[in-house]
Amino acid sequence: MQTHSAPHEATAVVDEPEARELIRRAFESTYRWSSDFRGFRADVIIRDGGKILPGEAVVSLPGETTVTLPGSDPETLKWVEGQIGMMAVHRGARTFEESDGRHRLTLGPEDHHPLGRLLLIDGDGMNSRYRILDGHIRQINRSMGPVRFTINVEDSLVTPEGKHLTTKYTVYYFQPQDGSLKQVDSVTDRHAVVDGWHLPGARRVIGAEAGEVRVRVMEFTGHRLL
């Protein structure tokens, strides 16, 4: 007797209004520069172990970061450019619909996790997973190519407008082969207020990898708005 089985059909992910509203509120409570902010120029000093490197950083929005750091090696310059560029991207003006709101948003199972409810972002290409507690994103999980990482937000300040701006977070990187811990970066930020704008004041990164601990500090002074 010949039998036939129905072809397997992938289950479409259905956007959940409750998940969308939770992420929207968290997004809107986060501090960002407004669309009329054009950027800034600042003197910068990099302290890396026993090395002290002075230079200048220019953040020109919407998306250009230039760092001048005489005497630096390529690895240090790339790291500084990456850090400052990341600050600019995270604080740059954008709407919810231009960000996570573009994707399908769903709730994970209620597991009473201390960092909040799990929310799943489908279709962003990074398998992003957030945990939201008290209206704020407390954990971010993402995969980018072979790199999988988790960010735990540990502390933040509240601006006069009632927006939250992160001051301390830790990033955990995992090996793609077996999921073991590869690297940890603990990041502490201090902010400078210039004409009402919250700009980078200092960043300290304590990184642990391959049995070594490295401490690097960026200090920004003399901010000039563009």
Side-chain angles (χ1 to χ4, degrees), residues 113-138:
H113 194 281
L115 293 181
R117 188 67 188 271
L118 181 66
L119 291 105
L120 316 178
I121 301 178
D122 180 72
D124 73 340
M126 296 181 289
N127 193 33
S128 294
R129 304 289 185 264
Y130 295 169
R131 286 195 179 272
I132 295 181
L133 181 67
D134 297 330
H136 309 299
I137 297 174
R138 302 301 176 93

Side-chain angles (χ1 to χ4, degrees), residues 17 23 49-50 54 72 75 82 88 103-104 108 132 136 141 154 166 187 197 210:
I23 299 180
S72 68
E75 187 272 339
H103 309 295
R104 291 177 294 275
I132 295 181
H136 309 299
N141 297 276
E154 299 170 19
T166 299
V187 182
W197 302 103

Side-chain angles (χ1 to χ4, degrees), residues 7-207:
H8 174 74
E9 293 184 2
T11 302
V13 176
V14 179
D15 193 81
E16 296 180 359
E18 183 182 355
R20 178 164 294 273
E21 184 59 22
L22 280 174
I23 299 180
R24 179 190 295 277
R25 288 204 303 266
F27 181 92
E28 292 176 351
S29 73
T30 302
Y31 177 83
R32 289 180 180 83
W33 298 318
S34 66
S35 58
D36 59 348
F37 180 71
R38 306 317 308 159
F40 68 93
R41 179 187 303 268
D43 300 320
V44 61
I45 293 179
I46 309 303
R47 304 181 189 275
D48 184 1
K51 297 184 296 183
I52 300 177
L53 298 168
E56 184 183 60
V58 180
V59 174
S60 179
L61 298 180
E64 184 177 352
T65 299
T66 304
V67 176
T68 304
L69 204 63
S72 68
D73 58 83
E75 187 272 339
T76 299
L77 180 60
K78 181 179 179 181
W79 181 82
V80 173
E81 290 175 334
Q83 292 291 316
I84 298 176
M86 183 167 52
M87 292 179 187
V89 167
H90 288 164
R91 298 185 200 177
R94 62 188 184 278
T95 66
F96 175 69
E97 288 70 23
E98 294 169 332
S99 184
D100 296 323
R102 295 177 298 161
H103 309 295
R104 291 177 294 275
L105 309 173
T106 59
L107 292 170
E110 177 56 85
D111 56 3
H112 305 287
H113 194 281
L115 293 181
R117 188 67 188 271
L118 181 66
L119 291 105
L120 316 178
I121 301 178
D122 180 72
D124 73 340
M126 296 181 289
N127 193 33
S128 294
R129 304 289 185 264
Y130 295 169
R131 286 195 179 272
I132 295 181
L133 181 67
D134 297 330
H136 309 299
I137 297 174
R138 302 301 176 93
Q139 186 182 80
I140 300 169
N141 297 276
R142 285 196 171 115
S143 298
M144 300 176 67
V147 179
R148 182 169 68 85
F149 61 90
T150 294
I151 301 172
N152 283 349
V153 178
E154 299 170 19
D155 206 355
S156 61
L157 60 81
V158 180
T159 70
E161 302 81 19
K163 304 294 187 180
H164 284 250
L165 181 55
T166 299
T167 56
K168 183 173 175 58
Y169 64 92
T170 301
V171 189
Y172 301 86
Y173 298 90
F174 300 95
Q175 296 280 8
Q177 298 87 354
D178 58 7
S180 61
L181 187 63
K182 176 180 183 292
Q183 178 183 345
V184 179
D185 287 337
S186 175
V187 182
T188 303
D189 284 340
R190 176 172 54 82
H191 305 286
V193 181
V194 179
D195 292 345
W197 302 103
H198 283 70
L199 307 179
R203 168 165 287 189
R204 184 189 68 191
V205 180
I206 302 175

